[in-house]
Amino acid sequence: MRDKIEQLLAEVEQLAARKEQELEEIRVRLLGKKGSITQLFDEFRDVLPEQKREIGQVLNKLKVAAAAKIEELKAVIENSMEPADSQYDLTKPGDKMELGARHPISVTRAEIISIFNKLGYAIAEGPEIEDDWHVFGALNFPPEHPARDMQDTFFITTGENPILLRTHTSSVQVRAMEKMKLPIRVICPGRVFRNEAISARAHCIFHQVEGLYIDKKVSFADLKQAVLLFAREMFGENTEIRLRPSYFPFTEPSAEVDVSCNICKGKGCNICKGTGWLEIMGCGMVDPAVLEASGIDSKEYSGFAFGMGVERIAMLKWQVKDLRLYFENDVRFLQEFDTVV
Ligand code: DAH
């Protein structure tokens, strides 16, 4: 069987070679030195002058057509002699498509949003390029506050109300208070920018989710409850929270929120530096001056706010040791998280 196939294969190849040879013979017969078309050119000398132009044209046409046809047939024969594997093989499997993965920051942000959606928070977004009023002024930062310092903020313009890259998503809080009808219950996810040296623990670009709830009779107990529900959804149902007094210009009183370490369950390990607690966000009751700056009557309304870094939440949840890994986009790293949610 095999011999027979090889024999036939040789015959096919010979056939092509024979055809090529035949074609070459035809070419010589027509266009060679003594070919019939070449001879016609010799005879052309004797054509009457008044017929020269007309006959010359058809003769040239004939020569060009013959040469073109021969070239065309030659190409067909050459193609048919190419080895089979250079032709399309429709039975071959397609190229493997490598699937990417969602980024851990997207996964984490989606999870934070989904938890607060369940608590009735809508999503609000604002511009990344902001003015000083929305990032600082309306949030009760005095003019000389060091956060405005060139070391922290990327300024685009300077002057009366400078344009800058927002350093936190609290600016969206201000825009929500300006625009939305009360009561307000929103979360504001987004990208923020700070003039920081890039290291394992800091980057000049990162992501925050800000939360804001304003209504009549909103209390610190409501804030604590919202934070506790979030912490347990995010880090597990046995998670405890701890609020430490802190300071932010836009909240009074203010607090830092810690969650019990999900690695050592509060016993103390090197992730929580032996304390049993991990800091996850800042929060507080919206300062009456901030409500008033956005035209809300602080005698009638009160509210709480909180803000967290998405990179930090993701690092604590999955023990990512170096922030820079989020920016490298190595799919092997990314694929570890896409299965989580
Ligand atoms: N804006 C703060 C920051 O970027 C985070 C923050 C703290 C937001 C307390 C809040 C809050 O809304 O109440 O560091």
Side-chain angles (χ1 to χ4, degrees):
M1 177 90 170
R2 215 193 147 91
D3 289 351
K4 229 176 186 171
I5 293 172
E6 266 164 23
Q7 194 195 335
L8 285 171
L9 207 67
E11 263 178 45
V12 170
E13 266 167 28
Q14 272 170 20
L15 192 74
R18 217 163 54 225
K19 284 277 164 216
E20 213 175 28
Q21 204 179 344
E22 268 175 32
L23 193 64
E24 177 58 13
E25 282 165 17
I26 293 172
R27 192 193 68 78
V28 172
R29 220 160 53 223
L30 292 175
L31 297 164
K33 265 194 188 142
K34 292 195 174 117
S36 24
I37 295 178
T38 319
Q39 269 177 26
L40 283 178
F41 275 88
D42 289 342
E43 288 168 28
F44 181 69
R45 265 179 267 138
D46 305 328
V47 172
L48 294 172
E50 60 268 30
Q51 289 180 342
K52 263 208 155 105
R53 190 184 151 86
E54 192 196 330
I55 296 194
Q57 267 177 359
V58 262
L59 193 54
N60 266 325
K61 220 175 186 175
L62 171 67
K63 188 182 169 188
V64 170
K69 195 75 204 164
I70 288 166
E71 280 307 309
E72 186 191 312
L73 290 172
K74 219 171 167 177
V76 171
I77 295 166
E78 267 168 18
N79 261 342
S80 75
M81 287 209 299
E82 293 241 314
D85 65 357
S86 75
Q87 307 273 312
Y88 290 114
D89 179 356
L90 298 178
T91 63
K92 272 187 181 171
D95 289 339
K96 207 174 152 213
M97 284 249 281
E98 292 289 348
L99 277 185
R102 277 192 309 162
H103 197 283
I105 297 306
S106 304
V107 174
T108 309
R109 188 184 50 190
E111 199 177 346
I112 298 171
I113 289 174
S114 125
I115 293 170
F116 283 106
N117 275 168
K118 280 189 257 174
L119 296 177
Y121 287 72
I123 297 174
E125 283 182 310
E128 292 174 352
I129 300 174
E130 262 291 9
D131 53 29
D132 186 280
W133 172 252
H134 288 92
V135 177
F136 298 122
L139 288 163
N140 210 23
F141 283 80
E144 72 285 0
H145 196 281
R148 274 204 201 74
D149 200 312
M150 301 298 267
Q151 302 208 332
D152 288 318
T153 306
F154 290 113
F155 283 91
I156 294 169
T157 65
T158 51
E160 184 81 0
N161 184 20
I163 304 296
L164 43 88
L165 295 181
R166 68 179 177 195
T167 55
H168 54 185
T169 45
S170 306
S171 52
V172 189
Q173 210 186 100
V174 178
R175 290 191 176 274
M177 288 190 292
E178 283 171 354
K179 274 201 318 260
M180 294 176 79
K181 281 221 318 251
L182 293 160
I184 295 170
R185 204 198 302 240
V186 287
I187 42 165
C188 322
R191 203 156 41 158
V192 300
F193 308 84
R194 285 184 199 181
N195 192 4
E196 300 244 16
I198 295 168
S199 70
R201 315 198 63 206
H203 207 288
C204 54
I205 302 174
F206 59 102
H207 300 78
Q208 287 188 333
V209 176
E210 172 95 12
L212 175 70
Y213 177 32
I214 299 175
D215 203 347
K216 290 176 183 162
K217 296 200 175 76
V218 175
S219 73
F220 201 88
D222 298 322
L223 165 62
K224 207 173 158 190
Q225 185 63 14
V227 170
L228 179 64
L229 284 172
F230 166 72
R232 292 196 167 158
E233 284 277 318
M234 194 73 193
F235 294 101
E237 55 183 347
N238 297 320
T239 306
E240 294 298 337
I241 60 163
R242 175 174 87 167
L243 272 70
R244 280 179 291 113
S246 184
Y247 172 77
F248 298 102
F250 38 90
T251 44
E252 184 58 39
S254 307
E256 301 282 354
V257 181
D258 296 340
V259 289
S260 50
C261 178
N262 54 345
I263 310 299
C264 63
K265 310 284 173 241
K267 286 195 200 71
C269 65
N270 63 348
I271 302 289
C272 59
K273 301 206 182 70
T275 64
W277 296 98
L278 300 164
E279 186 184 314
I280 58 159
M281 64 166 93
C283 67
M285 299 306 291
V286 181
D287 194 303
V290 171
L291 295 174
E292 296 289 341
S294 294
I296 294 172
D297 183 353
S298 64
K299 299 244 174 1
E300 209 182 335
Y301 285 93
S302 58
F304 65 72
F306 54 85
M308 68 189 101
V310 182
E311 278 79 356
R312 180 161 176 82
I313 301 285
M315 281 176 110
L316 295 177
K317 193 162 162 140
W318 294 309
Q319 292 102 55
V320 176
K321 298 260 159 48
D322 194 322
L323 195 66
R324 289 168 290 195
L325 285 166
Y326 292 134
F327 289 84
E328 280 170 9
N329 278 339
D330 183 332
V331 266
R332 290 167 304 176
F333 171 74
L334 301 180
Q335 273 161 347
E336 294 197 30
F337 307 96
D338 205 12
T339 53
V340 179
V341 177

